[in-house]
Amino acid sequence: MKKISTLLLTVIALLGITTGCSKDEDTLLRTVPDSASLIAKIDAEQILKNAGFQVKDGKYVMPAQLEKSISQVDKKETEALLAGARTIDAHSIVVFECKNIRYCTFAITDEENFVQYFESQGATKSKSGDFEVLSFGHNDRIAMRDGQGWYSTSRGVDQLPDILKEAKKQPLADMNGVREWLEKDGAFNCAYSLAPLSSNWVVANTVLKDNVLSFSVTSIDKGGKTLESSKMLEPINSAVLGYFPANTQLAVALGIAKGFPWSDIKTAAAPFVGYQALGFLELAMSQMSQIDGTVALAISPAAGAPALADISLKTWDFTLFVHQTQEAVNSNIQSLLDMAQTMGQRVERVGDLYHTTLAGLDPQLNGLDVWIGNVDGYLAISTREIQPGQNNAVAPTMSGKPFSLYLDIPYQSETMKAFGLPYGFNLTLQLSDNILEGKARFNGSNSAFLSTLTEVLSQL
């Protein structure tokens, strides 16, 4: 028998084509109990099209780039699976986990051909209660009833009647907030229950449109209300961003409000660190608890290709700004100066900053410049001279957000050449109205995002 047991979930989740009428999303979600810990809704057709698959003579044909990068055996199996997957509705596939069992459920649009396909691959058909069951591989099963299929293990199929009884009484579809996120237009949407720690859910929506992948993540209650972060975070101070170098390629900033619950974080983290690491956790928290504003870090190239591939302080510059109480800023600066002098490093005063050139600590760091100082009330540390009024793309992206991450590798840049990338890359993450929003694209490519990703992976 061919390797359908290992590839079936990929087919159902990624390689489908819609044919005919089918169950809508709400119908599928009504077969999922609200006790499920994880639910995902997948639009496989959107994924396929964005990945470069085309429809010819009623069949999906894989893109030439993918065809070249896989073996002949995998190519034949993929083509066979594509043909077999024509019998399901790929616009709305639901994967969920309940009672530590994972299910993948979908509408079957052509049950006769669906069964014939799997039987041609060696599956056997049997009856279990009011379900028709296809068995294949060591432990893979597909249960079918009323035009719907459930892919799971043999144990999962045995438990399916109880799962559906529970879903009939308390369907996830009645949890309006969670359902609305799962039914958003997108290639991949999911919801994860925080029980038993909380009754809230983490929900996410991912959309593929042309050459951009965008996504949103947040935490909601059952009614769909997002959790407030305003008590913990505040807008990033845009003035700090003006100190970031013009060639910044990676930046991350967070606005921490006074009263941030550091003690709660410490309590939550303590069980996950070893006994020897507790001292480091205490030290880290003692410093972090003094933060009462923006924390911002920028990283920029300090060399050309191919040196940038050797990631170190000699090839990449960093600039760090941390807002603390003025007492803490002055104390930390003095501690750093004392440490440098103890290690035999010569420190000089340059305006309002302190400058040292590292020597003797590490041969690879000899000659590395470091600037330290109190800049606009911030503890500032940088491996390049700290100057205001820098013209960069970071500030417009991050300003006014409580959290933001910016990554940009320009097309045909030295960074791109150093790592042998065929394209550059741009990624932004921003917290807005308690929702974390992100966008990703490849610089230098106008092709669809997944199509370009396939090309990039084939060249690595």
Side-chain angles (χ1 to χ4, degrees):
M1 187 178 72
K2 297 181 180 179
K3 296 187 293 183
I4 58 173
S5 60
T6 59
L7 295 175
L8 176 64
L9 189 55
T10 301
V11 176
I12 295 174
L14 299 176
L15 304 179
I17 180 171
T18 303
T19 56
C21 299
S22 62
K23 298 175 182 288
D24 58 24
E25 296 168 2
D26 186 73
T27 302
L28 290 178
L29 292 177
R30 289 200 171 277
T31 63
V32 179
D34 64 6
S35 62
S37 58
L38 172 68
I39 310 98
K41 193 270 288 182
I42 303 164
D43 186 338
E45 187 162 336
Q46 186 179 141
I47 294 173
L48 275 174
K49 289 181 177 179
N50 195 266
F53 284 77
Q54 297 181 347
V55 178
K56 293 183 179 179
D57 299 325
K59 299 179 180 179
Y60 268 116
V61 178
M62 71 180 69
Q65 193 68 39
L66 177 61
E67 188 174 353
K68 294 177 182 178
S69 63
I70 63 176
S71 67
Q72 286 298 311
V73 173
D74 288 339
K75 177 186 174 183
K76 289 181 179 179
E77 289 183 347
T78 302
E79 289 175 341
L81 291 168
L82 281 167
R86 294 185 63 197
T87 56
I88 69 170
D89 175 5
H91 276 306
S92 181
I93 298 167
V94 173
V95 178
F96 68 96
E97 189 168 300
C98 188
K99 304 184 188 303
N100 296 318
I101 304 174
R102 184 160 296 184
Y103 296 89
C104 178
T105 184
F106 45 89
I108 301 173
T109 57
D110 187 343
E111 186 168 328
E112 181 179 354
N113 284 327
F114 182 85
V115 172
Q116 286 181 0
Y117 169 75
F118 283 102
E119 287 182 333
S120 72
Q121 303 298 310
T124 57
K125 184 180 177 183
S126 60
K127 187 82 172 176
S128 177
D130 55 353
F131 293 95
E132 299 284 345
V133 178
L134 291 168
S135 303
F136 50 94
H138 176 68
N139 194 34
D140 296 276
R141 304 288 185 270
I142 297 178
M144 300 174 292
R145 187 181 73 179
D146 300 331
Q148 186 172 346
W150 292 264
Y151 167 67
S152 188
T153 61
S154 59
R155 176 171 170 262
V157 169
D158 290 341
Q159 296 291 322
L160 185 58
D162 292 335
I163 295 290
L164 294 178
K165 285 180 182 178
E166 183 179 345
K168 189 173 183 179
K169 294 179 181 178
Q170 295 178 300
L172 183 124
D174 285 350
M175 296 175 59
N176 296 332
V178 175
R179 188 195 72 238
E180 287 172 3
W181 269 86
L182 290 171
E183 293 183 346
K184 285 178 178 287
D185 178 44
F188 180 85
N189 301 330
C190 67
Y192 177 74
S193 172
L194 296 176
L197 299 177
S198 167
S199 61
N200 297 316
W201 291 73
V202 174
V203 290
N205 165 242
T206 304
V207 177
L208 290 164
K209 186 174 181 181
D210 300 327
N211 63 340
V212 177
L213 179 148
S214 58
F215 57 91
S216 303
V217 181
T218 191
S219 182
I220 63 172
D221 60 20
K222 291 183 179 181
K225 183 180 179 181
T226 58
L227 300 188
E228 290 286 339
S229 62
S230 57
K231 295 181 180 180
M232 297 186 293
L233 302 177
E234 63 183 27
I236 297 164
N237 183 359
S238 58
V240 172
L241 306 177
Y243 287 95
F244 284 179
N247 64 336
T248 295
Q249 292 189 0
L250 173 63
V252 59
L254 178 69
I256 298 177
K258 293 180 180 180
F260 189 88
W262 292 112
S263 59
D264 293 344
I265 293 177
K266 175 184 172 182
T267 301
F272 299 98
V273 301
Y275 177 78
Q276 295 179 339
L278 285 176
F280 176 78
L281 179 63
E282 289 279 357
L283 178 62
M285 285 299 171
S286 68
Q287 284 293 323
M288 295 175 73
S289 62
Q290 297 180 63
I291 300 173
D292 62 354
T294 297
V295 179
L297 172 68
I299 297 176
S300 54
L308 289 174
D310 179 20
I311 300 175
S312 71
L313 293 176
K314 291 286 286 185
T315 57
W316 291 87
D317 282 321
F318 81 90
T319 300
L320 174 66
F321 274 69
V322 181
H323 194 279
Q324 298 177 312
T325 63
Q326 289 309 290
E327 181 181 356
V329 170
N330 295 334
S331 175
N332 284 326
I333 291 174
Q334 190 59 53
S335 296
L336 290 170
L337 295 177
D338 292 343
M339 183 186 302
Q341 291 172 349
T342 300
M343 294 179 177
Q345 307 304 304
R346 181 174 176 271
V347 179
E348 60 179 343
R349 184 75 178 258
V350 180
D352 294 330
L353 301 175
Y354 295 93
H355 170 257
T356 183
T357 301
L358 299 184
L361 297 179
D362 186 328
Q364 293 184 345
L365 297 182
N366 281 345
L368 179 69
D369 292 311
V370 178
W371 278 266
I372 303 170
N374 185 331
V375 178
D376 295 342
Y378 285 77
L379 170 63
I381 307 173
S382 181
T383 54
R384 62 193 296 167
E385 189 172 358
I386 302 171
Q387 295 181 334
Q390 299 293 312
N391 184 19
N392 58 56
V394 176
T397 302
M398 292 185 161
S399 294
K401 307 297 181 182
F403 167 79
S404 185
L405 180 145
Y406 170 91
L407 169 66
D408 187 66
I409 301 174
Y411 183 60
Q412 295 185 337
S413 64
E414 294 297 299
T415 304
M416 190 181 118
K417 297 173 185 176
F419 291 96
L421 302 174
Y423 299 103
F425 188 71
N426 181 274
L427 170 68
T428 59
L429 291 176
Q430 295 184 340
L431 186 63
S432 181
D433 296 328
N434 302 308
I435 298 176
L436 182 65
E437 299 176 334
K439 287 188 177 182
R441 59 179 171 80
F442 289 94
N443 292 328
S445 172
N446 292 321
S447 299
F449 184 86
L450 290 183
S451 179
T452 305
L453 178 62
T454 301
E455 180 184 350
V456 171
L457 293 177
S458 69
Q459 296 183 38
L460 295 180

